[in-house]
Amino acid sequence: MDLNEIKNSLNSNPNLTDDIKDCLMELISLFNSKFPDVKLTNLNERLKTLKIIRGSRFLIKNSSYYDPIDNEILINLVKIDDSIDCKHVFMRELLNMITAKDNFTGFNKDNAYEALNIGYTEILANYLVGNENESEYEDEIVATNMIAEVIGNDTLFNAYFNNDETLIMNSVC
């Protein structure tokens, strides 16, 4: 997929401000330069209707959450302060959009691998843009790194970007 197509899709979205569109495009370009073989077709379609809305602190425990069913990024403004790196948050949610399928992201089908999926998403976001502050998901990152030592980074990568949780169990068994 050509980045110009993605930019056109993003620009066609009436729900986002120009600043948000520019920020997302910068992050998408960075992602694409690091992982050029990952298909962005799903992301391209989702960008056309994406909404970013304020979510209740009772609904969102951490700073943000991507809802793949409604194609919304929910932001907990109570958590977004000086202790949260907004660029990191947007990259994390962009990764969730790239890997969104049906009602899950990455390899977290039926919430069977929720902590592992969160940890891997955080690791990728850290790799791509870093994190100026402490992560909200330190425990998940540590656990994911330990599991990656057992099953391999390539297995996690393929399971994550192909929405295939069976690759994880097949590597363990």
Side-chain angles (χ1 to χ4, degrees):
M1 167 130 316
D2 183 290
L3 285 180
N4 284 327
E5 288 178 64
I6 290 175
K7 187 171 187 167
N8 289 338
S9 294
L10 190 56
N11 286 334
S12 73
N13 185 330
N15 305 314
L16 304 175
T17 66
D18 288 342
D19 289 344
I20 295 291
K21 290 175 184 180
D22 291 343
C23 176
L24 289 174
M25 196 61 217
E26 176 186 336
L27 295 173
I28 294 164
S29 297
L30 175 64
F31 175 85
N32 187 251
S33 71
K34 298 286 186 179
F35 301 113
D37 294 332
V38 174
K39 293 180 180 170
L40 299 177
T41 308
N42 183 46
L43 174 68
N44 188 53
E45 287 306 308
R46 289 177 177 274
L47 287 172
K48 295 174 184 176
T49 60
L50 174 68
K51 291 181 183 171
I52 299 175
I53 60 173
R54 180 182 183 171
S56 163
R57 63 187 169 103
F58 301 109
L59 180 64
I60 308 167
K61 183 175 99 177
N62 292 307
S63 62
S64 65
Y65 171 76
Y66 176 67
D67 179 349
I69 295 171
D70 293 328
N71 195 31
E72 296 174 337
I73 296 175
L74 305 171
I75 302 289
N76 180 345
L77 292 180
V78 173
K79 293 279 187 171
I80 299 288
D81 57 20
D82 292 338
S83 67
I84 299 294
D85 183 339
C86 288
K87 193 174 220 179
H88 177 86
V89 168
F90 272 109
M91 180 55 85
R92 179 176 66 217
E93 300 313 338
L94 188 63
L95 288 164
N96 283 321
M97 287 180 64
I98 291 168
T99 64
K101 180 179 180 184
D102 301 327
N103 65 344
F104 69 99
T105 63
F107 44 69
N108 192 31
K109 187 174 184 182
D110 299 324
N111 292 325
Y113 300 99
E114 184 174 9
L116 184 62
N117 198 73
I118 289 168
Y120 195 65
T121 303
E122 279 291 296
I123 289 168
L124 288 173
N126 284 338
Y127 167 72
L128 291 163
V129 297
N131 191 350
E132 294 294 319
N133 300 306
E134 186 174 323
S135 174
E136 300 172 85
Y137 302 105
E138 290 296 323
D139 293 339
E140 289 86 348
I141 291 170
V142 170
T144 300
N145 278 323
M146 292 187 329
I147 291 170
E149 287 295 317
V150 173
I151 67 173
N153 284 316
D154 288 344
T155 299
L156 279 177
F157 184 88
N158 289 328
Y160 187 77
F161 287 107
N162 293 303
N163 305 104
D164 188 356
E165 76 286 353
T166 62
L167 293 174
I168 296 167
M169 282 312 293
N170 292 343
S171 295
V172 176
C173 297

